[in-house]
């Protein structure tokens, strides 16, 4: 791939090389004759320094030896071993994100990105952008995260598709967290189809895509597709060496097992993921495992253990200042608290999470463009709490706010449940026709369980 500097000039441009030769020669106090001899003439060095000739590799190696620099530095302008050093520091930045606050890691990734731009290192620049995108996901700045992933994808446009998959998966995750479930599915499915059509069955890329597709499938009520994606991910896992990818797969598969009522198997899958994340010291993903295990216990009716796991997840995420994920887990914790009879504590947890206006996407609050599915869940819970208090007017307001959010996100299962709650409330207050409309809306969303309004499922790769 041709690499360019931040000004758009190729570092191997003859004029750029000529300027480097002239600068280095001047720094070393050499004349053009001293630099040229014995293999070349002063006239050749003069022509080269003026940018009128592209030097051959042989000429550059001769000049590099006389100037006491590496061939790479003279040819590209990069100090020796720069790329290797940048990659090492990118690993350190990844470790900082895994163990600490996203804004701290973002500072490291930003500095590395600037350095990669300065030295026209495309691969390292793309990796820094991916890191910045992940930092922004954790802090809940979803539009900026999506932009970073898109920029990384553009940088790698000439690379094979598997190289671009982490960026595509990042974009899909940002859309998912925004509430755009259908578009997240489209991105992942179209990439899977493109990999299959190109015969690029890279196990790491496939595992990343299938694991990422489970969450939007589940939220859309496409349980059959989610289960199929989980089966394929499990089949791919033995061919993948990256333990973080395998751990993510176990966490994703647990969601499909929960939906099938296989609670013990889901818990075992999460335990495997937790152990891998502990070994890798990846705190955000470890918190997600506690979060999911809390959900498993809640589904199984073990509310005490559910509360413990969810509080652990919240504490880890809060200590990392992973704002959006902290807010989302607090919604699920509030659900458990309400079911345990702690309605006031649940309400106190929920109210600060919501924007004053659902069209507002202000930082630090869930809303239409930031955690829409969980924002709908928060309104649903506040509606239930209000209804249990006898405040049917306030309950209806929250149910309608939740309906607006969930309809935009296509979260089919949650929508159907909400329509049932709203219909029951309207019926009890004597508005039978309005209740029937609410029930019909819910039935419409549940008319085809296990499917979506997307096209055919992606082709299954050869295993």
């Amino acid at each position: 791939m041709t690499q360019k500097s931040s000004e758009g000039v190729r570092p191997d441009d003859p004029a750029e090389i000529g300027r480097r030769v002239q600068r280095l020669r001047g720094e070393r106090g050499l004349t053009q004759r001293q630099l040229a001899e014995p293999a070349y003439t002063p006239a050749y060095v003069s022509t080269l320094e003026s940018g009128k000739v592209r030097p051959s590799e042989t000429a550059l190696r001769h000049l590099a030896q006389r100037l006491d620099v590496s061939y790479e530095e003279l040819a590209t302008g990069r100090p020796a071993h720069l790329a290797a050093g940048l990659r090492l520091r990118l690993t350190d930045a990844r470790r900082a994100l895994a163990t600490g606050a996203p804004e701290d890691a973002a500072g490291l990734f930003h500095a590395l990105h600037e350095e990669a731009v300065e030295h026209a290192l495309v691969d390292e620049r793309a990796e820094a952008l991916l890191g910045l995108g992940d930092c922004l996901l954790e802090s809940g700045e979803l539009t900026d995260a999506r932009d970073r992933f898109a920029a990384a994808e553009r940088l790698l446009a000439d690379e094979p598709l598997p190289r671009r998959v982490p960026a595509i998966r990042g974009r899909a995750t940002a859309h998912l967290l925004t509430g755009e479930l259908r578009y997240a599915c489209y991105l992942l499915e179209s990439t899977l189809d493109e990999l299959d059509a190109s015969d690029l069955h890279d196990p790491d890329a496939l595992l990343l895509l299938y694991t990422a597709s489970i969450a939007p499938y589940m939220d859309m009520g496409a349980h059959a597709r989610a289960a199929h994606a989980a089966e394929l991910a499990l089949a791919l896992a033995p061919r993948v060496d990256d333990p973080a990818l395998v751990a993510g797969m176990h966490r994703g598969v647990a969601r499909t097992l929960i939906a099938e009522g296989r609670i013990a198997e889901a818990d075992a899958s999460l335990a495997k993921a937790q152990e891998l994340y502990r070994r890798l010291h990846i705190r955000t993903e470890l918190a997600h495992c506690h979060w999911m295990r809390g959900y498993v216990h809640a589904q199984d009716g073990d509310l005490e253990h559910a509360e413990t796991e969810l509080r652990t997840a919240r504490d880890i995420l809060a200590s990392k200042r992973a704002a959006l994920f902290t807010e989302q887990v607090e919604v699920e914790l509030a659900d458990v608290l309400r079911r345990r009879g702690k309605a006031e504590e649940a309400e106190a947890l929920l109210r600060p999470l919501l924007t004053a206006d659902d069209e507002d996407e202000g930082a630090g609050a869930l809303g239409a463009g930031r955690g829409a599915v969980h924002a709908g869940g928060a309104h649903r819970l506040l509606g239930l709490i209000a209804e249990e208090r006898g405040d049917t007017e306030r309950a209806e307001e929250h149910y309608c706010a939740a309906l607006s959010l969930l309809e935009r996100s296509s979260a089919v299962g949650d929508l159907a449940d909400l329509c049932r709650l709203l219909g029951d409330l309207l019926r009890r207050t004597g508005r039978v026709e309005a209740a029937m409309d609410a029930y019909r809306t819910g039935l419409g969303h549940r008319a085809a369980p296990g499917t979506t309004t997307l096209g055919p499922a992606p082709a299954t790769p050869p295993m």
Side-chain angles (χ1 to χ4, degrees), residues 347-361:
E347 189 173 12
L349 198 59
L350 290 168
R351 288 203 174 278
L353 301 180
L354 296 170
T355 56
D357 180 347
D358 286 326
E359 295 301 323
D360 179 17
E361 297 183 14

Side-chain angles (χ1 to χ4, degrees), residues 219 380 402-422 438 441-443 445-446:
D219 286 343
R380 172 188 172 277
L403 186 63
S404 173
L405 286 161
L406 295 175
E407 279 186 321
R408 277 179 277 183
S409 67
S410 306
V412 175
D414 292 338
L415 266 168
D417 175 64
L418 186 65
C419 288
R420 177 187 60 79
L421 289 172
L422 180 59
T441 301
L443 286 170
H445 287 299
R446 296 297 289 171

